[in-house]
Amino acid sequence: RPGWGWSIVSFPRRFERYWNDSFAFRWYLIRAHSLAKLSLGVSPSPKALVGEDGYLFYAAERSVDYFRGTDPFTAADLARWRDDLESRRQWLAERGIRYLVVVAPNKETIYGEYMPHALRKVRTDSRLDQLLAYLAANSSIDIVDVRGALTAAKPHQRVYHKTDTHWNDAGAMIAAREILARMKAWFPDLDAGPFAGELRVHAAPGGDLARILALEDRFPEQRYDWLPAAGHEARTTGAETAAREQVVMECAGCTGPKVVMNNDSFGENLAPLLAQRFRRTALVEGSRLDRPLIERERPAIVIQEFVERALMCPDLRGC
């Protein structure tokens, strides 16, 4: 809340916003710096890697360490992740609510062949591989692994943006179909069939990684955008929620259950697709299980989506 303590804690991000808005010619200086480093064959920013064939990759949040496998899970790490997920599942189960975990793969997990060749892997199995094996042997957590479906689709269409951290609408649609197929066993009335609409491809400026480098024109993007058929789009309601980061979507005529979904930036195009199949979807940004919201919404299931690199955190509470 506002006050001296709040001011101290929030000062760094407030000052950064001020600096970004006020520093003269900042964008042009960043662009010149990026072009100079590119000419030397060096990635211009510690947050972005320049890969092969125009691909850019996110390098922050220990993404490179994750890709190379330099810091695998220990037995204690795996137990901590299991305990965190199990505590959430148990709390929900006591209220008759199912719990489904969805891990959005890092782009380099699906398109690792375009990573800089100097970044060689230390081990082939990832932290996600370790966690899945551990949970299969020591837990009842339901977790959806969409890596196989995304990899299988690669020869036919691109499933991640080349210049952005995230999957595109084609990739999000594949992930949505995998999630719905898993849920179909629990909710027989759920429509898990193809989505009605059209996937359009068009040229656009570069994505978030190109913007970091101020080189959106140097790294253009071919975007895949989904246009739902008329009458099939879920609508955001005017209902007030307890926090601004919560959004409620409703779908008239949908036979699917009521859902609360925790999501990060990968959910921005995944959640609207899923919401086309659920009667009501309450979206919560971040990994925190919003117990008051769940008590109010009384959903049939909570979907917890998070990006793969979050597995570098001690647990979901530490992300």
Side-chain angles (χ1 to χ4, degrees), residues 52-63:
E52 306 295 324
D53 194 30
Y55 274 81
L56 300 177
F57 295 92
Y58 188 60
E61 300 178 58
R62 301 187 65 196
S63 295

Side-chain angles (χ1 to χ4, degrees), residues 44-102:
S45 170
K47 292 183 178 181
L49 290 174
V50 179
E52 306 295 324
D53 194 30
Y55 274 81
L56 300 177
F57 295 92
Y58 188 60
E61 300 178 58
R62 301 187 65 196
S63 295
V64 175
D65 292 339
Y66 186 97
F67 173 76
R68 298 187 63 222
T70 58
D71 186 14
F73 273 133
T74 65
D77 294 332
L78 289 167
R80 190 180 304 115
W81 268 91
R82 178 203 58 198
D83 293 346
D84 185 17
L85 294 174
E86 277 288 354
S87 67
R88 297 165 188 248
R89 185 202 62 78
Q90 182 176 351
W91 186 86
L92 292 168
E94 290 170 354
R95 289 154 179 80
I97 303 170
R98 289 192 176 273
Y99 184 50
L100 184 64
V101 176
V102 179

Side-chain angles (χ1 to χ4, degrees), residues 19-266:
W19 179 267
N20 291 343
D21 292 341
S22 306
F23 188 79
F25 309 112
R26 178 179 182 273
W27 184 87
Y28 298 98
L29 291 172
I30 292 174
R31 180 178 174 82
H33 174 265
S34 296
L35 289 171
K37 282 203 165 183
L38 279 178
S39 68
L40 299 174
V42 179
S43 291
S45 170
K47 292 183 178 181
L49 290 174
V50 179
E52 306 295 324
D53 194 30
Y55 274 81
L56 300 177
F57 295 92
Y58 188 60
E61 300 178 58
R62 301 187 65 196
S63 295
V64 175
D65 292 339
Y66 186 97
F67 173 76
R68 298 187 63 222
T70 58
D71 186 14
F73 273 133
T74 65
D77 294 332
L78 289 167
R80 190 180 304 115
W81 268 91
R82 178 203 58 198
D83 293 346
D84 185 17
L85 294 174
E86 277 288 354
S87 67
R88 297 165 188 248
R89 185 202 62 78
Q90 182 176 351
W91 186 86
L92 292 168
E94 290 170 354
R95 289 154 179 80
I97 303 170
R98 289 192 176 273
Y99 184 50
L100 184 64
V101 176
V102 179
V103 182
N106 298 336
K107 183 167 77 173
E108 55 272 20
T109 295
I110 307 301
Y111 288 99
E113 66 270 27
Y114 295 108
M115 283 283 279
H117 295 319
L119 299 177
R120 300 187 180 276
K121 289 190 175 184
V122 174
R123 53 188 294 154
T124 56
D125 61 328
S126 66
R127 281 195 168 205
L128 180 54
D129 293 323
Q130 289 182 274
L131 182 64
L132 289 172
Y134 185 82
L135 292 179
N138 300 279
S139 173
S140 57
I141 291 291
D142 289 291
I143 186 165
V144 178
D145 181 9
V146 300
R147 293 175 298 175
L150 290 168
T151 301
K154 281 172 52 178
H156 313 292
Q157 61 185 1
R158 187 153 43 81
V159 294
Y160 278 66
H161 299 295
K162 292 182 72 171
T163 64
D164 195 286
T165 318
H166 306 90
W167 50 32
N168 55 28
D169 282 3
M173 189 177 306
I174 291 167
R177 291 288 300 276
E178 292 293 300
I179 295 167
L180 293 171
R182 177 68 65 89
M183 293 176 60
K184 181 73 173 177
W186 301 331
F187 307 102
D189 292 336
L190 176 66
D191 180 4
F195 291 95
E198 179 184 1
L199 192 64
R200 293 185 180 177
V201 183
H202 63 93
D208 61 358
L209 297 173
R211 288 194 294 273
I212 287 175
L213 307 179
L215 295 176
E216 298 97 314
D217 58 336
R218 184 71 174 267
F219 292 95
E221 182 65 62
Q222 189 180 40
R223 290 190 58 88
Y224 288 65
D225 290 332
W226 175 253
L227 279 73
H232 288 265
E233 188 174 4
R235 305 292 181 182
T236 302
T237 72
E240 293 185 3
T241 54
R244 287 182 300 173
E245 63 269 19
Q246 296 169 4
V247 175
V248 175
M249 304 183 75
E250 292 184 343
C251 180
C254 288
T255 57
K258 289 180 62 176
V259 174
V260 168
M261 180 175 174
N262 283 81
N263 67 134
D264 54 20
S265 55
F266 275 77

